């Protein structure tokens, strides 16, 4: 399947930034400025803003996502937010295994797989974030690390579970650092990941969207998005500026 048959997905991960007013203004500006882009656009605000953005996002043709979820559906888990709650307030997607969660909250591949399962059980589309650290890249472990991150999900949920999911390749050394993978580096890992999915299911491999994340911005988006196996972007810093995010959306076509 050629890349043109996969609708590009441009996702903005706001992380723990903003305010209610900023969130509303940003969604309005993105909705107004995306004009006739063919890309699917996803905004991923902090939990407290999802509810208040859901109508605005829907009206503006934007998808809404969350940055994390609990492995549990309900119960005595103080501070956690469950998949069904996210669906309740209008989220359609959820990030699982973002490197900041893996690093700062010690989320193992097994925990990430459990979150992937919980997301699907709630009816959310999981965006599975994978990627190697600088040390792992320098040690030649990029493929082993990213393969294990995908396989943990396949082992727990089955390859069919990837059908309605998204993979985001985010080299940890490129997140929030200003360093960006070259198109060759990124395309190489994306093709590797698609081939790993194809070992399980060629149809899903042809359809699954694999996003690149790691200091994507207007200056580098076009050349990354032109790569055959790069189907969109997961954007952190640059998604907090409507102008920058809209320029990335425009680069996706
Ligand atoms: C991210 O947080 O997923 C990310 C890619 O951040 P940035 O674009 O700022 O590197």
């Amino acid at each position: 399947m050629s890349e043109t048959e996969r609708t590009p997905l441009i996702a903005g991960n706001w992380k723990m930034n903003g305010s209610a007013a900023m969130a509303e203004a940003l969604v309005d500006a993105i909705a107004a400025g995306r004009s006739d882009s063919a890309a699917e656009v996803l905004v991923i605000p902090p939990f407290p803003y999802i509810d208040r953005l859901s109508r605005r996002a829907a009206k503006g043709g934007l998808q809404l996502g969350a940055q994390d979820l609990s492995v549990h559906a309900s119960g005595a888990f103080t501070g956690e937010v469950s998949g069904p709650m996210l669906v309740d307030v209008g989220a359609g997607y959820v990030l699982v295994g973002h490197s900041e969660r893996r690093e700062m909250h010690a989320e193992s591949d097994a925990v990430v797989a459990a979150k992937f399962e919980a997301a699907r059980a709630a009816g959310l589309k999981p965006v599975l974030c994978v990627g190697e650290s600088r040390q792992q890249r320098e040690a030649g472990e990029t493929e082993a690390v990213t393969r294990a991150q995908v396989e943990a999900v396949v082992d727990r949920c089955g390859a069919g579970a990837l059908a309605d999911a998204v993979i985001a390749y985010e080299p940890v050394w490129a997140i929030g650092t200003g360093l960006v993978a070259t198109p060759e580096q990124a395309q190489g890992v994306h093709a590797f990941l698609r081939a790993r999915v194809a070992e399980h299911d060629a149809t899903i491999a042809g359809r699954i969207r694999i996003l690149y994340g790691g200091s994507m911005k207007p200056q580098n988006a076009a050349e990354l998005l032109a790569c055959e196996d790069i189907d969109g972007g997961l954007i952190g810093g640059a998604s907090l500026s409507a102008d920058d995010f809209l320029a990335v959306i425009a680069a996706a076509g």
Side-chain angles (χ1 to χ4, degrees), residues 13-15 95 98-100 129 170-171 174-179 212-217 234-239:
N13 173 16
W14 297 358
K15 310 195 187 193
L95 301 182
H98 190 280
S99 66
E100 287 154 18
C129 302
E170 299 206 293
I175 297 180
T177 59
L179 297 173
Y212 169 79
S215 299
M216 189 184 261
K217 48 185 182 269
L234 178 53
I235 296 113
S239 73

mmCIF file with all atom_site columns, all heavy atoms in Angstrom, residues 13-15 95 98-100 129 170-171 174-179 212-217 234-239, ligand 1:
data_model
loop_
_atom_site.group_PDB
_atom_site.id
_atom_site.type_symbol
_atom_site.label_atom_id
_atom_site.label_alt_id
_atom_site.label_comp_id
_atom_site.label_asym_id
_atom_site.label_entity_id
_atom_site.label_seq_id
_atom_site.pdbx_PDB_ins_code
_atom_site.Cartn_x
_atom_site.Cartn_y
_atom_site.Cartn_z
_atom_site.occupancy
_atom_site.B_iso_or_equiv
_atom_site.pdbx_formal_charge
_atom_site.auth_seq_id
_atom_site.auth_comp_id
_atom_site.auth_asym_id
_atom_site.auth_atom_id
_atom_site.pdbx_PDB_model_num
ATOM   1   N N   . ASN A 1 13  ? 0.971  17.365 21.067 1.00 0.00 ? 13  ASN A N   1
ATOM   2   C CA  . ASN A 1 13  ? 1.026  16.981 22.481 1.00 0.00 ? 13  ASN A CA  1
ATOM   3   C C   . ASN A 1 13  ? 1.425  18.208 23.296 1.00 0.00 ? 13  ASN A C   1
ATOM   4   O O   . ASN A 1 13  ? 2.588  18.618 23.284 1.00 0.00 ? 13  ASN A O   1
ATOM   5   C CB  . ASN A 1 13  ? 2.058  15.855 22.662 1.00 0.00 ? 13  ASN A CB  1
ATOM   6   C CG  . ASN A 1 13  ? 2.301  15.530 24.127 1.00 0.00 ? 13  ASN A CG  1
ATOM   7   O OD1 . ASN A 1 13  ? 1.524  15.908 24.996 1.00 0.00 ? 13  ASN A OD1 1
ATOM   8   N ND2 . ASN A 1 13  ? 3.393  14.839 24.408 1.00 0.00 ? 13  ASN A ND2 1
ATOM   9   N N   . TRP A 1 14  ? 0.448  18.771 23.983 1.00 0.00 ? 14  TRP A N   1
ATOM   10  C CA  . TRP A 1 14  ? 0.710  20.026 24.710 1.00 0.00 ? 14  TRP A CA  1
ATOM   11  C C   . TRP A 1 14  ? 1.469  19.789 26.012 1.00 0.00 ? 14  TRP A C   1
ATOM   12  O O   . TRP A 1 14  ? 1.862  20.732 26.683 1.00 0.00 ? 14  TRP A O   1
ATOM   13  C CB  . TRP A 1 14  ? -0.607 20.741 25.021 1.00 0.00 ? 14  TRP A CB  1
ATOM   14  C CG  . TRP A 1 14  ? -1.376 21.167 23.808 1.00 0.00 ? 14  TRP A CG  1
ATOM   15  C CD1 . TRP A 1 14  ? -1.016 21.012 22.487 1.00 0.00 ? 14  TRP A CD1 1
ATOM   16  C CD2 . TRP A 1 14  ? -2.654 21.823 23.794 1.00 0.00 ? 14  TRP A CD2 1
ATOM   17  N NE1 . TRP A 1 14  ? -1.986 21.529 21.665 1.00 0.00 ? 14  TRP A NE1 1
ATOM   18  C CE2 . TRP A 1 14  ? -3.002 22.032 22.427 1.00 0.00 ? 14  TRP A CE2 1
ATOM   19  C CE3 . TRP A 1 14  ? -3.528 22.259 24.782 1.00 0.00 ? 14  TRP A CE3 1
ATOM   20  C CZ2 . TRP A 1 14  ? -4.196 22.658 22.049 1.00 0.00 ? 14  TRP A CZ2 1
ATOM   21  C CZ3 . TRP A 1 14  ? -4.711 22.873 24.400 1.00 0.00 ? 14  TRP A CZ3 1
ATOM   22  C CH2 . TRP A 1 14  ? -5.035 23.078 23.053 1.00 0.00 ? 14  TRP A CH2 1
ATOM   23  N N   . LYS A 1 15  ? 1.603  18.556 26.405 1.00 0.00 ? 15  LYS A N   1
ATOM   24  C CA  . LYS A 1 15  ? 2.245  18.218 27.678 1.00 0.00 ? 15  LYS A CA  1
ATOM   25  C C   . LYS A 1 15  ? 1.564  19.012 28.804 1.00 0.00 ? 15  LYS A C   1
ATOM   26  O O   . LYS A 1 15  ? 0.374  19.278 28.720 1.00 0.00 ? 15  LYS A O   1
ATOM   27  C CB  . LYS A 1 15  ? 3.752  18.469 27.608 1.00 0.00 ? 15  LYS A CB  1
ATOM   28  C CG  . LYS A 1 15  ? 4.391  17.837 26.376 1.00 0.00 ? 15  LYS A CG  1
ATOM   29  C CD  . LYS A 1 15  ? 5.870  17.770 26.460 1.00 0.00 ? 15  LYS A CD  1
ATOM   30  C CE  . LYS A 1 15  ? 6.419  17.288 25.119 1.00 0.00 ? 15  LYS A CE  1
ATOM   31  N NZ  . LYS A 1 15  ? 7.816  16.908 25.182 1.00 0.00 ? 15  LYS A NZ  1
ATOM   32  N N   . LEU A 1 95  ? -2.359 8.811  24.131 1.00 0.00 ? 95  LEU A N   1
ATOM   33  C CA  . LEU A 1 95  ? -0.954 8.404  24.037 1.00 0.00 ? 95  LEU A CA  1
ATOM   34  C C   . LEU A 1 95  ? -0.698 7.302  25.057 1.00 0.00 ? 95  LEU A C   1
ATOM   35  O O   . LEU A 1 95  ? -1.173 7.391  26.195 1.00 0.00 ? 95  LEU A O   1
ATOM   36  C CB  . LEU A 1 95  ? -0.013 9.573  24.374 1.00 0.00 ? 95  LEU A CB  1
ATOM   37  C CG  . LEU A 1 95  ? -0.099 10.840 23.524 1.00 0.00 ? 95  LEU A CG  1
ATOM   38  C CD1 . LEU A 1 95  ? 0.964  11.848 23.994 1.00 0.00 ? 95  LEU A CD1 1
ATOM   39  C CD2 . LEU A 1 95  ? 0.096  10.523 22.043 1.00 0.00 ? 95  LEU A CD2 1
ATOM   40  N N   . HIS A 1 98  ? 4.463  7.349  26.205 1.00 0.00 ? 98  HIS A N   1
ATOM   41  C CA  . HIS A 1 98  ? 5.327  8.500  25.873 1.00 0.00 ? 98  HIS A CA  1
ATOM   42  C C   . HIS A 1 98  ? 6.623  8.377  26.680 1.00 0.00 ? 98  HIS A C   1
ATOM   43  O O   . HIS A 1 98  ? 6.606  7.944  27.838 1.00 0.00 ? 98  HIS A O   1
ATOM   44  C CB  . HIS A 1 98  ? 4.604  9.815  26.199 1.00 0.00 ? 98  HIS A CB  1
ATOM   45  C CG  . HIS A 1 98  ? 5.338  11.006 25.657 1.00 0.00 ? 98  HIS A CG  1
ATOM   46  N ND1 . HIS A 1 98  ? 6.428  11.548 26.294 1.00 0.00 ? 98  HIS A ND1 1
ATOM   47  C CD2 . HIS A 1 98  ? 5.160  11.741 24.520 1.00 0.00 ? 98  HIS A CD2 1
ATOM   48  C CE1 . HIS A 1 98  ? 6.888  12.569 25.573 1.00 0.00 ? 98  HIS A CE1 1
ATOM   49  N NE2 . HIS A 1 98  ? 6.123  12.702 24.500 1.00 0.00 ? 98  HIS A NE2 1
ATOM   50  N N   . SER A 1 99  ? 7.713  8.786  26.097 1.00 0.00 ? 99  SER A N   1
ATOM   51  C CA  . SER A 1 99  ? 9.013  8.565  26.767 1.00 0.00 ? 99  SER A CA  1
ATOM   52  C C   . SER A 1 99  ? 9.080  9.272  28.122 1.00 0.00 ? 99  SER A C   1
ATOM   53  O O   . SER A 1 99  ? 9.781  8.805  29.030 1.00 0.00 ? 99  SER A O   1
ATOM   54  C CB  . SER A 1 99  ? 10.166 9.026  25.883 1.00 0.00 ? 99  SER A CB  1
ATOM   55  O OG  . SER A 1 99  ? 10.116 10.421 25.714 1.00 0.00 ? 99  SER A OG  1
ATOM   56  N N   . GLU A 1 100 ? 8.334  10.385 28.264 1.00 0.00 ? 100 GLU A N   1
ATOM   57  C CA  . GLU A 1 100 ? 8.360  11.059 29.572 1.00 0.00 ? 100 GLU A CA  1
ATOM   58  C C   . GLU A 1 100 ? 7.654  10.215 30.625 1.00 0.00 ? 100 GLU A C   1
ATOM   59  O O   . GLU A 1 100 ? 8.021  10.233 31.808 1.00 0.00 ? 100 GLU A O   1
ATOM   60  C CB  . GLU A 1 100 ? 7.751  12.463 29.436 1.00 0.00 ? 100 GLU A CB  1
ATOM   61  C CG  . GLU A 1 100 ? 8.715  13.397 28.691 1.00 0.00 ? 100 GLU A CG  1
ATOM   62  C CD  . GLU A 1 100 ? 8.065  14.550 27.950 1.00 0.00 ? 100 GLU A CD  1
ATOM   63  O OE1 . GLU A 1 100 ? 6.903  14.880 28.234 1.00 0.00 ? 100 GLU A OE1 1
ATOM   64  O OE2 . GLU A 1 100 ? 8.739  15.120 27.070 1.00 0.00 ? 100 GLU A OE2 1
ATOM   65  N N   . CYS A 1 129 ? 3.772  5.075  21.699 1.00 0.00 ? 129 CYS A N   1
ATOM   66  C CA  . CYS A 1 129 ? 5.025  5.801  21.505 1.00 0.00 ? 129 CYS A CA  1
ATOM   67  C C   . CYS A 1 129 ? 6.202  4.863  21.771 1.00 0.00 ? 129 CYS A C   1
ATOM   68  O O   . CYS A 1 129 ? 6.247  4.194  22.811 1.00 0.00 ? 129 CYS A O   1
ATOM   69  C CB  . CYS A 1 129 ? 5.111  6.991  22.460 1.00 0.00 ? 129 CYS A CB  1
ATOM   70  S SG  . CYS A 1 129 ? 3.741  8.160  22.287 1.00 0.00 ? 129 CYS A SG  1
ATOM   71  N N   . GLU A 1 170 ? 9.460  8.057  18.347 1.00 0.00 ? 170 GLU A N   1
ATOM   72  C CA  . GLU A 1 170 ? 9.989  9.276  18.955 1.00 0.00 ? 170 GLU A CA  1
ATOM   73  C C   . GLU A 1 170 ? 11.348 8.976  19.574 1.00 0.00 ? 170 GLU A C   1
ATOM   74  O O   . GLU A 1 170 ? 11.416 8.527  20.726 1.00 0.00 ? 170 GLU A O   1
ATOM   75  C CB  . GLU A 1 170 ? 9.046  9.773  20.050 1.00 0.00 ? 170 GLU A CB  1
ATOM   76  C CG  . GLU A 1 170 ? 7.658  10.124 19.554 1.00 0.00 ? 170 GLU A CG  1
ATOM   77  C CD  . GLU A 1 170 ? 7.015  11.167 20.461 1.00 0.00 ? 170 GLU A CD  1
ATOM   78  O OE1 . GLU A 1 170 ? 6.730  10.852 21.621 1.00 0.00 ? 170 GLU A OE1 1
ATOM   79  O OE2 . GLU A 1 170 ? 6.838  12.293 19.999 1.00 0.00 ? 170 GLU A OE2 1
ATOM   80  N N   . PRO A 1 171 ? 12.422 9.203  18.823 1.00 0.00 ? 171 PRO A N   1
ATOM   81  C CA  . PRO A 1 171 ? 13.737 8.992  19.424 1.00 0.00 ? 171 PRO A CA  1
ATOM   82  C C   . PRO A 1 171 ? 13.870 9.899  20.647 1.00 0.00 ? 171 PRO A C   1
ATOM   83  O O   . PRO A 1 171 ? 13.675 11.114 20.539 1.00 0.00 ? 171 PRO A O   1
ATOM   84  C CB  . PRO A 1 171 ? 14.711 9.372  18.308 1.00 0.00 ? 171 PRO A CB  1
ATOM   85  C CG  . PRO A 1 171 ? 13.922 10.070 17.261 1.00 0.00 ? 171 PRO A CG  1
ATOM   86  C CD  . PRO A 1 171 ? 12.486 9.718  17.453 1.00 0.00 ? 171 PRO A CD  1
ATOM   87  N N   . ALA A 1 174 ? 15.699 13.146 20.667 1.00 0.00 ? 174 ALA A N   1
ATOM   88  C CA  . ALA A 1 174 ? 15.211 14.245 19.820 1.00 0.00 ? 174 ALA A CA  1
ATOM   89  C C   . ALA A 1 174 ? 14.009 14.959 20.433 1.00 0.00 ? 174 ALA A C   1
ATOM   90  O O   . ALA A 1 174 ? 13.531 15.942 19.883 1.00 0.00 ? 174 ALA A O   1
ATOM   91  C CB  . ALA A 1 174 ? 14.837 13.712 18.440 1.00 0.00 ? 174 ALA A CB  1
ATOM   92  N N   . ILE A 1 175 ? 13.507 14.474 21.569 1.00 0.00 ? 175 ILE A N   1
ATOM   93  C CA  . ILE A 1 175 ? 12.300 15.070 22.142 1.00 0.00 ? 175 ILE A CA  1
ATOM   94  C C   . ILE A 1 175 ? 12.656 16.284 22.990 1.00 0.00 ? 175 ILE A C   1
ATOM   95  O O   . ILE A 1 175 ? 13.387 16.163 23.981 1.00 0.00 ? 175 ILE A O   1
ATOM   96  C CB  . ILE A 1 175 ? 11.515 14.045 22.979 1.00 0.00 ? 175 ILE A CB  1
ATOM   97  C CG1 . ILE A 1 175 ? 11.034 12.908 22.079 1.00 0.00 ? 175 ILE A CG1 1
ATOM   98  C CG2 . ILE A 1 175 ? 10.333 14.708 23.675 1.00 0.00 ? 175 ILE A CG2 1
ATOM   99  C CD1 . ILE A 1 175 ? 10.245 11.844 22.797 1.00 0.00 ? 175 ILE A CD1 1
ATOM   100 N N   . GLY A 1 176 ? 12.162 17.411 22.567 1.00 0.00 ? 176 GLY A N   1
ATOM   101 C CA  . GLY A 1 176 ? 12.355 18.648 23.327 1.00 0.00 ? 176 GLY A CA  1
ATOM   102 C C   . GLY A 1 176 ? 13.799 19.123 23.370 1.00 0.00 ? 176 GLY A C   1
ATOM   103 O O   . GLY A 1 176 ? 14.148 20.007 24.149 1.00 0.00 ? 176 GLY A O   1
ATOM   104 N N   . THR A 1 177 ? 14.657 18.559 22.537 1.00 0.00 ? 177 THR A N   1
ATOM   105 C CA  . THR A 1 177 ? 16.075 18.896 22.589 1.00 0.00 ? 177 THR A CA  1
ATOM   106 C C   . THR A 1 177 ? 16.491 19.817 21.449 1.00 0.00 ? 177 THR A C   1
ATOM   107 O O   . THR A 1 177 ? 17.597 20.363 21.485 1.00 0.00 ? 177 THR A O   1
ATOM   108 C CB  . THR A 1 177 ? 16.930 17.616 22.456 1.00 0.00 ? 177 THR A CB  1
ATOM   109 O OG1 . THR A 1 177 ? 16.606 16.991 21.195 1.00 0.00 ? 177 THR A OG1 1
ATOM   110 C CG2 . THR A 1 177 ? 16.671 16.653 23.600 1.00 0.00 ? 177 THR A CG2 1
ATOM   111 N N   . GLY A 1 178 ? 15.640 19.935 20.433 1.00 0.00 ? 178 GLY A N   1
ATOM   112 C CA  . GLY A 1 178 ? 16.030 20.691 19.243 1.00 0.00 ? 178 GLY A CA  1
ATOM   113 C C   . GLY A 1 178 ? 16.770 19.793 18.262 1.00 0.00 ? 178 GLY A C   1
ATOM   114 O O   . GLY A 1 178 ? 16.932 20.144 17.100 1.00 0.00 ? 178 GLY A O   1
ATOM   115 N N   . LEU A 1 179 ? 17.248 18.633 18.730 1.00 0.00 ? 179 LEU A N   1
ATOM   116 C CA  . LEU A 1 179 ? 17.870 17.670 17.811 1.00 0.00 ? 179 LEU A CA  1
ATOM   117 C C   . LEU A 1 179 ? 16.755 16.960 17.071 1.00 0.00 ? 179 LEU A C   1
ATOM   118 O O   . LEU A 1 179 ? 15.708 16.657 17.659 1.00 0.00 ? 179 LEU A O   1
ATOM   119 C CB  . LEU A 1 179 ? 18.685 16.627 18.582 1.00 0.00 ? 179 LEU A CB  1
ATOM   120 C CG  . LEU A 1 179 ? 19.873 17.127 19.379 1.00 0.00 ? 179 LEU A CG  1
ATOM   121 C CD1 . LEU A 1 179 ? 20.464 15.993 20.210 1.00 0.00 ? 179 LEU A CD1 1
ATOM   122 C CD2 . LEU A 1 179 ? 20.924 17.690 18.418 1.00 0.00 ? 179 LEU A CD2 1
ATOM   123 N N   . TYR A 1 212 ? 6.207  10.432 13.151 1.00 0.00 ? 212 TYR A N   1
ATOM   124 C CA  . TYR A 1 212 ? 7.524  10.785 13.689 1.00 0.00 ? 212 TYR A CA  1
ATOM   125 C C   . TYR A 1 212 ? 7.338  11.865 14.745 1.00 0.00 ? 212 TYR A C   1
ATOM   126 O O   . TYR A 1 212 ? 6.562  12.816 14.538 1.00 0.00 ? 212 TYR A O   1
ATOM   127 C CB  . TYR A 1 212 ? 8.477  11.308 12.589 1.00 0.00 ? 212 TYR A CB  1
ATOM   128 C CG  . TYR A 1 212 ? 9.714  11.896 13.221 1.00 0.00 ? 212 TYR A CG  1
ATOM   129 C CD1 . TYR A 1 212 ? 10.738 11.068 13.676 1.00 0.00 ? 212 TYR A CD1 1
ATOM   130 C CD2 . TYR A 1 212 ? 9.814  13.266 13.472 1.00 0.00 ? 212 TYR A CD2 1
ATOM   131 C CE1 . TYR A 1 212 ? 11.834 11.593 14.342 1.00 0.00 ? 212 TYR A CE1 1
ATOM   132 C CE2 . TYR A 1 212 ? 10.913 13.801 14.132 1.00 0.00 ? 212 TYR A CE2 1
ATOM   133 C CZ  . TYR A 1 212 ? 11.911 12.960 14.567 1.00 0.00 ? 212 TYR A CZ  1
ATOM   134 O OH  . TYR A 1 212 ? 12.992 13.473 15.255 1.00 0.00 ? 212 TYR A OH  1
ATOM   135 N N   . GLY A 1 213 ? 8.048  11.746 15.847 1.00 0.00 ? 213 GLY A N   1
ATOM   136 C CA  . GLY A 1 213 ? 8.040  12.791 16.872 1.00 0.00 ? 213 GLY A CA  1
ATOM   137 C C   . GLY A 1 213 ? 9.445  13.043 17.379 1.00 0.00 ? 213 GLY A C   1
ATOM   138 O O   . GLY A 1 213 ? 10.221 12.102 17.581 1.00 0.00 ? 213 GLY A O   1
ATOM   139 N N   . GLY A 1 214 ? 9.760  14.311 17.606 1.00 0.00 ? 214 GLY A N   1
ATOM   140 C CA  . GLY A 1 214 ? 11.083 14.672 18.098 1.00 0.00 ? 214 GLY A CA  1
ATOM   141 C C   . GLY A 1 214 ? 11.517 15.954 17.423 1.00 0.00 ? 214 GLY A C   1
ATOM   142 O O   . GLY A 1 214 ? 12.098 15.922 16.339 1.00 0.00 ? 214 GLY A O   1
ATOM   143 N N   . SER A 1 215 ? 11.167 17.085 18.075 1.00 0.00 ? 215 SER A N   1
ATOM   144 C CA  . SER A 1 215 ? 11.547 18.410 17.565 1.00 0.00 ? 215 SER A CA  1
ATOM   145 C C   . SER A 1 215 ? 11.085 18.658 16.130 1.00 0.00 ? 215 SER A C   1
ATOM   146 O O   . SER A 1 215 ? 11.753 19.339 15.355 1.00 0.00 ? 215 SER A O   1
ATOM   147 C CB  . SER A 1 215 ? 13.062 18.623 17.685 1.00 0.00 ? 215 SER A CB  1
ATOM   148 O OG  . SER A 1 215 ? 13.463 18.548 19.049 1.00 0.00 ? 215 SER A OG  1
ATOM   149 N N   . MET A 1 216 ? 9.914  18.093 15.782 1.00 0.00 ? 216 MET A N   1
ATOM   150 C CA  . MET A 1 216 ? 9.360  18.419 14.457 1.00 0.00 ? 216 MET A CA  1
ATOM   151 C C   . MET A 1 216 ? 8.839  19.849 14.503 1.00 0.00 ? 216 MET A C   1
ATOM   152 O O   . MET A 1 216 ? 8.190  20.249 15.472 1.00 0.00 ? 216 MET A O   1
ATOM   153 C CB  . MET A 1 216 ? 8.244  17.453 14.060 1.00 0.00 ? 216 MET A CB  1
ATOM   154 C CG  . MET A 1 216 ? 7.804  17.631 12.611 1.00 0.00 ? 216 MET A CG  1
ATOM   155 S SD  . MET A 1 216 ? 6.417  16.570 12.151 1.00 0.00 ? 216 MET A SD  1
ATOM   156 C CE  . MET A 1 216 ? 7.249  15.240 11.320 1.00 0.00 ? 216 MET A CE  1
ATOM   157 N N   . LYS A 1 217 ? 9.115  20.599 13.472 1.00 0.00 ? 217 LYS A N   1
ATOM   158 C CA  . LYS A 1 217 ? 8.699  22.004 13.410 1.00 0.00 ? 217 LYS A CA  1
ATOM   159 C C   . LYS A 1 217 ? 8.591  22.420 11.949 1.00 0.00 ? 217 LYS A C   1
ATOM   160 O O   . LYS A 1 217 ? 8.938  21.623 11.067 1.00 0.00 ? 217 LYS A O   1
ATOM   161 C CB  . LYS A 1 217 ? 9.676  22.889 14.186 1.00 0.00 ? 217 LYS A CB  1
ATOM   162 C CG  . LYS A 1 217 ? 11.136 22.672 13.895 1.00 0.00 ? 217 LYS A CG  1
ATOM   163 C CD  . LYS A 1 217 ? 11.983 23.538 14.819 1.00 0.00 ? 217 LYS A CD  1
ATOM   164 C CE  . LYS A 1 217 ? 13.469 23.382 14.519 1.00 0.00 ? 217 LYS A CE  1
ATOM   165 N NZ  . LYS A 1 217 ? 14.115 22.338 15.308 1.00 0.00 ? 217 LYS A NZ  1
ATOM   166 N N   . LEU A 1 234 ? 4.010  13.648 15.619 1.00 0.00 ? 234 LEU A N   1
ATOM   167 C CA  . LEU A 1 234 ? 3.591  13.920 16.994 1.00 0.00 ? 234 LEU A CA  1
ATOM   168 C C   . LEU A 1 234 ? 4.480  15.062 17.452 1.00 0.00 ? 234 LEU A C   1
ATOM   169 O O   . LEU A 1 234 ? 5.699  14.912 17.552 1.00 0.00 ? 234 LEU A O   1
ATOM   170 C CB  . LEU A 1 234 ? 3.765  12.670 17.873 1.00 0.00 ? 234 LEU A CB  1
ATOM   171 C CG  . LEU A 1 234 ? 3.408  12.808 19.355 1.00 0.00 ? 234 LEU A CG  1
ATOM   172 C CD1 . LEU A 1 234 ? 2.001  13.356 19.555 1.00 0.00 ? 234 LEU A CD1 1
ATOM   173 C CD2 . LEU A 1 234 ? 3.529  11.457 20.060 1.00 0.00 ? 234 LEU A CD2 1
ATOM   174 N N   . ILE A 1 235 ? 3.845  16.197 17.683 1.00 0.00 ? 235 ILE A N   1
ATOM   175 C CA  . ILE A 1 235 ? 4.594  17.434 17.873 1.00 0.00 ? 235 ILE A CA  1
ATOM   176 C C   . ILE A 1 235 ? 4.382  17.965 19.279 1.00 0.00 ? 235 ILE A C   1
ATOM   177 O O   . ILE A 1 235 ? 3.230  18.127 19.713 1.00 0.00 ? 235 ILE A O   1
ATOM   178 C CB  . ILE A 1 235 ? 4.137  18.475 16.810 1.00 0.00 ? 235 ILE A CB  1
ATOM   179 C CG1 . ILE A 1 235 ? 4.484  17.961 15.409 1.00 0.00 ? 235 ILE A CG1 1
ATOM   180 C CG2 . ILE A 1 235 ? 4.787  19.826 17.026 1.00 0.00 ? 235 ILE A CG2 1
ATOM   181 C CD1 . ILE A 1 235 ? 3.302  17.628 14.585 1.00 0.00 ? 235 ILE A CD1 1
ATOM   182 N N   . GLY A 1 236 ? 5.470  18.239 19.968 1.00 0.00 ? 236 GLY A N   1
ATOM   183 C CA  . GLY A 1 236 ? 5.381  18.786 21.317 1.00 0.00 ? 236 GLY A CA  1
ATOM   184 C C   . GLY A 1 236 ? 5.462  20.302 21.268 1.00 0.00 ? 236 GLY A C   1
ATOM   185 O O   . GLY A 1 236 ? 4.477  20.993 21.029 1.00 0.00 ? 236 GLY A O   1
ATOM   186 N N   . GLY A 1 237 ? 6.672  20.824 21.460 1.00 0.00 ? 237 GLY A N   1
ATOM   187 C CA  . GLY A 1 237 ? 6.884  22.266 21.575 1.00 0.00 ? 237 GLY A CA  1
ATOM   188 C C   . GLY A 1 237 ? 6.185  23.085 20.492 1.00 0.00 ? 237 GLY A C   1
ATOM   189 O O   . GLY A 1 237 ? 5.501  24.077 20.798 1.00 0.00 ? 237 GLY A O   1
ATOM   190 N N   . ALA A 1 238 ? 6.345  22.677 19.245 1.00 0.00 ? 238 ALA A N   1
ATOM   191 C CA  . ALA A 1 238 ? 5.797  23.479 18.140 1.00 0.00 ? 238 ALA A CA  1
ATOM   192 C C   . ALA A 1 238 ? 4.273  23.424 18.074 1.00 0.00 ? 238 ALA A C   1
ATOM   193 O O   . ALA A 1 238 ? 3.660  24.210 17.343 1.00 0.00 ? 238 ALA A O   1
ATOM   194 C CB  . ALA A 1 238 ? 6.402  23.030 16.807 1.00 0.00 ? 238 ALA A CB  1
ATOM   195 N N   . SER A 1 239 ? 3.655  22.534 18.849 1.00 0.00 ? 239 SER A N   1
ATOM   196 C CA  . SER A 1 239 ? 2.185  22.485 18.803 1.00 0.00 ? 239 SER A CA  1
ATOM   197 C C   . SER A 1 239 ? 1.563  23.528 19.721 1.00 0.00 ? 239 SER A C   1
ATOM   198 O O   . SER A 1 239 ? 0.342  23.710 19.723 1.00 0.00 ? 239 SER A O   1
ATOM   199 C CB  . SER A 1 239 ? 1.675  21.089 19.180 1.00 0.00 ? 239 SER A CB  1
ATOM   200 O OG  . SER A 1 239 ? 1.818  20.839 20.562 1.00 0.00 ? 239 SER A OG  1
HETATM 201 C C1  . LIG B 2 .   ? 6.681  14.987 22.225 1.00 0.00 ? 1   LIG B C1  1
HETATM 202 O O1  . LIG B 2 .   ? 6.496  15.443 23.342 1.00 0.00 ? 1   LIG B O1  1
HETATM 203 O O2  . LIG B 2 .   ? 6.089  13.942 21.913 1.00 0.00 ? 1   LIG B O2  1
HETATM 204 C C2  . LIG B 2 .   ? 7.590  15.677 21.313 1.00 0.00 ? 1   LIG B C2  1
HETATM 205 C C3  . LIG B 2 .   ? 7.868  15.126 20.156 1.00 0.00 ? 1   LIG B C3  1
HETATM 206 O O3  . LIG B 2 .   ? 8.088  16.881 21.733 1.00 0.00 ? 1   LIG B O3  1
HETATM 207 P P1  . LIG B 2 .   ? 8.945  17.938 20.851 1.00 0.00 ? 1   LIG B P1  1
HETATM 208 O O4  . LIG B 2 .   ? 8.234  18.110 19.551 1.00 0.00 ? 1   LIG B O4  1
HETATM 209 O O5  . LIG B 2 .   ? 8.955  19.177 21.676 1.00 0.00 ? 1   LIG B O5  1
HETATM 210 O O6  . LIG B 2 .   ? 10.304 17.336 20.667 1.00 0.00 ? 1   LIG B O6  1
#
